[in-house]
Amino acid sequence: MSSVVATTAVRGRFLDIQNTVAQAREIHDQVRYVEDGLLISQNGKIQWFGSWQEGQQHLPVGVEVQHYLEQLIVPGFIDTHIHFPQTEMVGAYGEQLLEWLNTYTFPTELQFSDKAYADQIAQFFVQELLKNGTTTALVFCTVHTESVDALFEAAGQHQMRLIAGKVMMDRHAPEDLCDTPDSAYADSKALIEKWHGKGRNLYAITPRFAPTSTPEQLAKAGQLKAEYPDVYVHTHLSENKNEIAWVKDLFPEQQGYLDVYHHFGLTGSHSVFAHCVHLEDAEWDCMHQTDSAIAFCPTSNLFLGSGLFPLNKTWEKQVKVGLGTDIGAGTSFNQLQTLNEAYKV
Ligand code: GUN
Ligand code: ZN
């Protein structure tokens, strides 16, 4: 009897994605719409999905069907770039990226050395994602290992799929928010061993962005990626014009911003670069050749006045792109609201 109790059946209108843009040219080959469908799941896993007409024969005896014929049922949303420690600072007033980081972001993130505080925000964060229909997210923590433990523990309680990592940052930030190349390597390695592939958790090596890591630290990040090829890489790229000029000053030997990451072995099919508003042509080519992906963060790009992301370029250059809320420079946890702004851009 217990399997019957754990079985749910939902009848309604369903929409899902069957192929990526790369796999199918026409929209109706990518998206499936079932006007009157049935989804049967057991212990939280889908057992059968298809039309109501065909599906009735698969219904176990005694299972009550829940009817949602007026609603549209879609798969959980995937947020490709979000900062959980910035949950409380959405809407910090009136600055562009570099001033915003120093004035609001770094002071906020200092609080996450306190595990109890990190736990409290992590719980709220995970619930806020679920409330908005997001079931998978690629998440920045802070430099503190406590923040990563807090987040993965909260995610596990809610069966969420999170990909997250400890920020690596050893310069141009308050001393208490800085690690070193060696400690960033050792802490990240220990966190990979502890969390990557445990339950639904996955790890992302997370250098904050090129200006806050020395070349020595980026080399350590690359070493980690070589040792653990199936972990993700998650960082920021070409968000703001002053940021880009700063990177060119800091890394004169490299050919541009993306080349800094590429040089240290941080591009690839598991690498996600947030923003990419001002990429140069050679960088678009490198993104394509390395199969790296972009997190498009429209509310954040608008809020910080970073610029308008050239979405058409991703199709022209065949570069993978996903949607990111980028809380707390972004202004909503809600992916539909974020898509609304993406459309206007
Ligand atoms: N670049 C480096 N750090 C950050 C951050 O926290 N938010 C955004 N939007 N960009 C960044
Ligand atoms: Zn970000």
Side-chain angles (χ1 to χ4, degrees):
M1 281 310 279
S2 64
S3 69
V4 173
V5 173
T7 300
T8 48
V10 174
R11 181 183 181 185
R13 295 191 277 173
F14 291 84
L15 185 86
D16 71 350
I17 311 292
Q18 294 194 286
N19 289 302
T20 63
V21 174
Q23 289 163 335
R25 292 212 154 267
E26 301 296 326
I27 185 85
H28 39 260
D29 293 331
Q30 296 162 26
V31 177
R32 168 172 59 175
Y33 175 60
V34 180
E35 175 87 29
D36 185 7
L38 177 67
L39 184 142
I40 303 171
S41 64
Q42 210 166 43
N43 299 321
K45 291 202 170 152
I46 295 172
Q47 295 298 311
W48 194 88
F49 172 66
S51 72
W52 165 250
Q53 202 176 19
E54 206 188 322
Q56 290 165 75
Q57 60 181 299
H58 298 281
L59 265 177
V61 177
V63 172
E64 196 175 321
V65 178
Q66 302 167 45
H67 293 266
Y68 290 100
L69 286 165
E70 299 300 317
Q71 279 77 28
L72 183 66
I73 299 164
V74 298
F77 296 131
I78 300 169
D79 192 332
T80 61
H81 180 66
I82 184 164
H83 298 249
F84 108 80
Q86 296 174 16
T87 296
E88 287 195 297
M89 55 165 288
V90 173
Y93 177 74
E95 310 266 0
Q96 288 215 345
L97 174 65
L98 301 177
E99 303 77 30
W100 175 86
L101 281 173
N102 286 317
T103 315
Y104 306 108
T105 315
F106 291 154
T108 301
E109 294 193 4
L110 278 166
Q111 302 171 91
F112 285 76
S113 59
D114 176 354
K115 177 69 168 35
Y117 184 74
D119 283 338
Q120 186 192 328
I121 301 296
Q123 282 295 342
F124 179 83
F125 173 83
V126 164
Q127 283 168 32
E128 203 62 20
L129 285 178
L130 288 173
K131 203 165 85 184
N132 284 283
T134 298
T135 51
T136 298
L138 178 56
V139 189
F140 258 68
C141 300
T142 64
V143 75
H144 316 98
T145 56
E146 292 85 350
S147 70
V148 181
D149 288 336
L151 184 68
F152 279 136
E153 283 162 16
Q157 286 166 20
H158 296 274
Q159 300 273 314
M160 270 194 93
R161 158 87 75 196
L162 292 189
I163 310 167
K166 176 202 117 64
V167 165
M168 303 172 80
M169 171 156 76
D170 67 343
R171 62 171 167 176
H172 301 136
E175 205 182 323
D176 287 350
L177 273 186
C178 283
D179 51 17
T180 67
D182 286 337
S183 74
Y185 172 84
D187 286 347
S188 301
K189 191 179 174 82
L191 288 165
I192 291 170
E193 294 287 344
K194 183 171 180 183
W195 291 112
H196 185 63
K198 303 285 156 53
R200 306 188 77 202
N201 301 316
L202 295 170
Y203 196 83
I205 298 164
T206 310
R208 179 171 215 115
F209 67 155
T212 47
S213 286
T214 57
E216 294 72 31
Q217 184 169 72
L218 292 174
K220 287 287 185 188
Q223 186 184 336
L224 265 179
K225 175 66 187 165
E227 288 171 24
Y228 296 94
D230 69 330
V231 304
Y232 285 75
V233 173
H234 184 198
T235 187
H236 298 92
L237 172 63
S238 289
E239 175 176 3
N240 169 286
K241 290 200 169 153
N242 291 339
E243 169 210 18
I244 296 167
W246 194 20
V247 173
K248 287 182 175 173
D249 270 1
L250 290 169
F251 296 90
E253 323 77 57
Q254 258 53 73
Q255 280 160 28
Y257 196 160
L258 178 57
D259 192 45
V260 175
Y261 297 131
H262 187 57
H263 173 78
F264 290 105
L266 297 170
T267 48
S269 66
H270 282 45
S271 297
V272 179
F273 296 98
H275 304 291
C276 299
V277 176
H278 307 287
L279 289 185
E280 294 168 14
D281 260 344
E283 296 179 309
W284 280 104
D285 293 338
C286 179
M287 290 293 291
H288 171 74
Q289 283 152 14
T290 58
D291 200 23
S292 301
I294 296 174
F296 169 25
C297 306
T299 63
S300 164
N301 294 340
L302 294 170
F303 185 75
L304 291 180
S306 302
L308 303 182
F309 176 70
L311 183 60
N312 285 336
K313 264 301 220 222
T314 66
W315 296 319
E316 185 190 315
K317 294 286 188 176
Q318 295 182 26
V319 174
K320 296 180 294 190
V321 63
L323 195 68
T325 62
D326 194 23
I327 291 293
T331 49
S332 172
F333 275 85
N334 189 301
Q335 290 277 57
L336 294 174
Q337 184 56 35
T338 307
L339 271 177
N340 178 10
E341 299 305 314
Y343 177 77
K344 293 170 197 163
V345 170

